[in-house]
Amino acid sequence: MKQAKIRLFVEQPLGAGQTVLLDRDQANYLFNVMRLSVGDLVALFNGRDGEFVGEVAEAGKRKGALVCREQTKPLQLPPDLWLCFAPIKKARTDFIVEKATEMGAAVIQPMQTEFTNSERIRRDRLQAHAVEAAEQCGGTYVPEVRDLTRLDRLLADWPEDRQIMFCDEALVGATETLGQAGGEKWAIFIGPEGGFSEPERAKLREIGHAVSLGPRILRADTAAVAALTVWQQHLGDWG
Amino acid sequence: MKQAKIRLFVEQPLGAGQTVLLDRDQANYLFNVMRLSVGDLVALFNGRDGEFVGEVAEAGKRKGALVCREQTKPLQLPPDLWLCFAPIKKARTDFIVEKATEMGAAVIQPMQTEFTNSERIRRDRLQAHAVEAAEQCGGTYVPEVRDLTRLDRLLADWPEDRQIMFCDEALVGATETLGQAGGEKWAIFIGPEGGFSEPERAKLREIGHAVSLGPRILRADTAAVAALTVWQQHLGDWG
């Protein structure tokens, strides 16, 4: 039997026998770029119904259709974890979104801190990156990329039942307390190059759990992956 | 007092009063690109003597000299950890070298596995990346990038006293045993896209400690940072 080598995120509901109509970009990708034709298989997921094998039923230049066969993976939701980070240079911001998806964040929240240079992001572009990363990493879920929000506003509206882990460059050790913190809802805060400002740090220390990422200064994108690893090991689904 | 904002790796010995002559590239970087002039300060490190403040004594277009003042950081060696990885696409290989430097590996060993596509690397270019990452992350040490070696040859000559941690996609959990393994000398093995082959995996299972990096499939560059985090937390200098 042929195997589906391509994974495709779609918006439509999935289920055995369900027809999935492709839009122009998807048809172009599958039939022009990847050269699939009728009868070929594609792995489909929509973030809600798990993964299904879809068989190409119609392969046009600008449109096409797949028919779902059996489910190949159940839906696997990531832990209820937000990654809040300050956007940096474009390539590294893209990278953070990709890594957050692979590492199993549920929500990606760009935030503007005092020392954030970037004042705008292209939310739709970052969301597309998250989709692509989910297609690549075999996940059945795509994290939601939210609009850029100021850190002070984010904290002013902060949900009481969501705990915060943040990375404090001034700290050594102290990750031990994390495992005892427990709780289901979490957010990781990663500062910009240059770190959080003193008032921001004071606020985060007051309401969050500080952890150390070692004696060297990490770039924001490295810190994101390292912090996600620490969290997943202590509190997440790597157990 | 002015502060050194630029960090520069040099080959020469460092010590109070020592003169450091700059080569053409270094002079170009400091005086043309960064616009420093006589009297300005630069943080210097060479991987052996810690970090010193250097004052520009001569600023030419193609040459220059700095005079070392006081030491600002002692030498901080990373743990005796090798990162052995299979090179992937250029940008992601560069990234792995950058991240290994920030995360505190002592040796970076590119290796050719059965499923490695890349058959050549530019060792000197990767070494330059490690230098740049060390300049950025505030470290006083630059990991040594070694020549590309076949995995089977690497394992045939493997030093008896160096333990191996490798990331096994087939595994869930099982990181607990790592902390009990102890030992000073370690290597982390990261497979290529597509993972290790069955015989490679069998060999690594026989001689190494397998750890899990969670239920999602990570790209090799993500896996490198995550594995370095796991190791540093359990056995390294993040304690």
Side-chain angles (χ1 to χ4, degrees), chain B residues 160-208:
Chain B
E160 260 186 32
D161 59 347
R162 184 168 298 275
Q163 299 196 69
I164 292 173
M165 166 181 139
F166 79 104
C167 307
D168 193 337
E169 286 173 7
L171 204 74
V172 177
T175 310
E176 305 76 39
T177 60
L178 201 61
Q180 293 143 31
E184 294 286 314
K185 298 181 179 184
W186 278 83
I188 294 174
F189 278 62
I190 302 288
E193 316 278 327
F196 292 109
S197 71
E198 245 341 293
E200 288 170 346
R201 188 185 304 263
K203 178 74 181 166
L204 285 171
R205 276 204 177 136
E206 191 190 309
I207 62 173

Side-chain angles (χ1 to χ4, degrees), chain B residues 140-160:
Chain B
T140 51
Y141 178 83
V142 179
E144 176 196 343
V145 180
R146 299 212 170 142
D147 281 321
L148 184 68
T149 306
R150 277 175 44 182
L151 172 58
D152 53 358
R153 291 200 190 134
L154 199 61
L155 291 182
D157 277 342
W158 193 255
E160 260 186 32

Side-chain angles (χ1 to χ4, degrees), chain A:
Chain A
M1 200 192 98
K2 287 185 284 188
Q3 266 214 315
K5 286 190 181 148
I6 296 169
R7 299 187 85 241
L8 189 70
F9 175 81
V10 296
E11 301 281 353
Q12 297 98 317
L14 298 174
Q18 182 86 33
T19 298
V20 175
L21 297 177
L22 300 172
D23 65 25
R24 181 190 285 220
D25 286 348
Q26 291 167 331
N28 180 55
Y29 172 65
L30 292 185
F31 310 129
N32 298 332
V33 180
M34 301 309 292
R35 306 258 163 208
L36 297 195
S37 52
V38 169
D40 284 337
L41 302 180
V42 178
L44 299 170
F45 67 108
N46 61 6
R48 302 182 306 273
D49 300 320
E51 183 192 88
F52 282 78
V53 178
E55 184 178 330
V56 177
E58 188 200 335
K61 286 213 164 165
R62 289 174 193 175
K63 61 181 191 168
L66 300 165
V67 175
C68 284
R69 300 209 311 208
E70 73 278 12
Q71 196 187 45
T72 40
K73 276 184 196 171
L75 176 65
Q76 239 196 329
L77 291 176
D80 188 354
L81 174 66
W82 298 1
L83 180 72
C84 306
F85 77 101
I88 38 177
K89 281 183 208 155
K90 182 173 163 296
R92 289 186 190 267
T93 296
D94 292 352
F95 180 88
I96 288 179
V97 169
E98 175 187 302
K99 293 328 180 200
T101 305
E102 287 178 48
M103 297 288 297
V107 167
I108 297 172
Q109 172 70 65
M111 64 183 177
Q112 192 164 0
T113 69
E114 277 191 53
F115 298 157
T116 308
N117 288 319
S118 173
E119 284 174 26
R120 291 200 314 181
I121 55 153
R122 287 272 312 274
R123 203 204 63 79
D124 55 339
R125 214 178 51 80
L126 294 181
Q127 186 66 65
H129 265 286
V131 166
E132 207 178 306
E135 288 173 344
Q136 290 269 350
C137 79
T140 50
Y141 179 83
V142 179
E144 175 196 342
V145 180
R146 299 212 170 142
D147 281 321
L148 183 68
T149 306
R150 277 176 44 182
L151 172 59
D152 54 357
R153 291 200 191 133
L154 199 59
L155 292 181
D157 277 342
W158 194 255
E160 259 186 35
D161 58 350
R162 183 167 300 275
Q163 299 196 68
I164 292 174
M165 165 181 140
F166 79 105
C167 306
D168 192 336
E169 287 172 6
L171 204 72
V172 178
T175 310
E176 305 77 41
T177 59
L178 201 60
Q180 293 145 28
E184 294 286 313
K185 299 183 179 182
W186 278 84
I188 294 174
F189 278 63
I190 302 287
E193 316 277 328
F196 292 109
S197 71
E198 243 342 290
E200 287 170 345
R201 188 184 304 264
K203 178 74 183 167
L204 285 170
R205 277 205 176 134
E206 192 189 309
I207 60 173
H209 301 263
V211 300
S212 158
L213 299 178
R216 285 156 295 269
I217 299 165
L218 305 183
R219 280 178 188 267
D221 53 346
T222 320
V225 180
L228 285 161
T229 304
V230 168
W231 190 90
Q232 287 285 19
Q233 277 221 308
H234 284 88
L235 294 159
D237 62 10
W238 287 23

Side-chain angles (χ1 to χ4, degrees), chain B residues 6-53:
Chain B
I6 296 169
R7 300 188 83 241
L8 189 70
F9 175 81
V10 296
E11 301 281 353
Q12 296 99 318
L14 298 175
Q18 182 86 34
T19 298
V20 175
L21 298 177
L22 300 172
D23 66 25
R24 182 191 285 219
D25 286 349
Q26 290 167 331
N28 180 55
Y29 172 64
L30 292 185
F31 309 131
N32 299 331
V33 180
M34 302 308 295
R35 306 260 163 204
L36 297 195
S37 52
V38 169
D40 284 336
L41 303 180
V42 178
L44 299 170
F45 67 108
N46 62 5
R48 301 182 305 274
D49 300 320
E51 183 192 270
F52 282 78
V53 178

Side-chain angles (χ1 to χ4, degrees), chain B residues 118-134:
Chain B
S118 173
E119 284 173 26
R120 292 199 315 178
I121 55 152
R122 286 273 312 274
R123 202 204 64 78
D124 55 338
R125 213 177 52 79
L126 294 182
Q127 186 65 66
H129 264 287
V131 166
E132 206 179 307

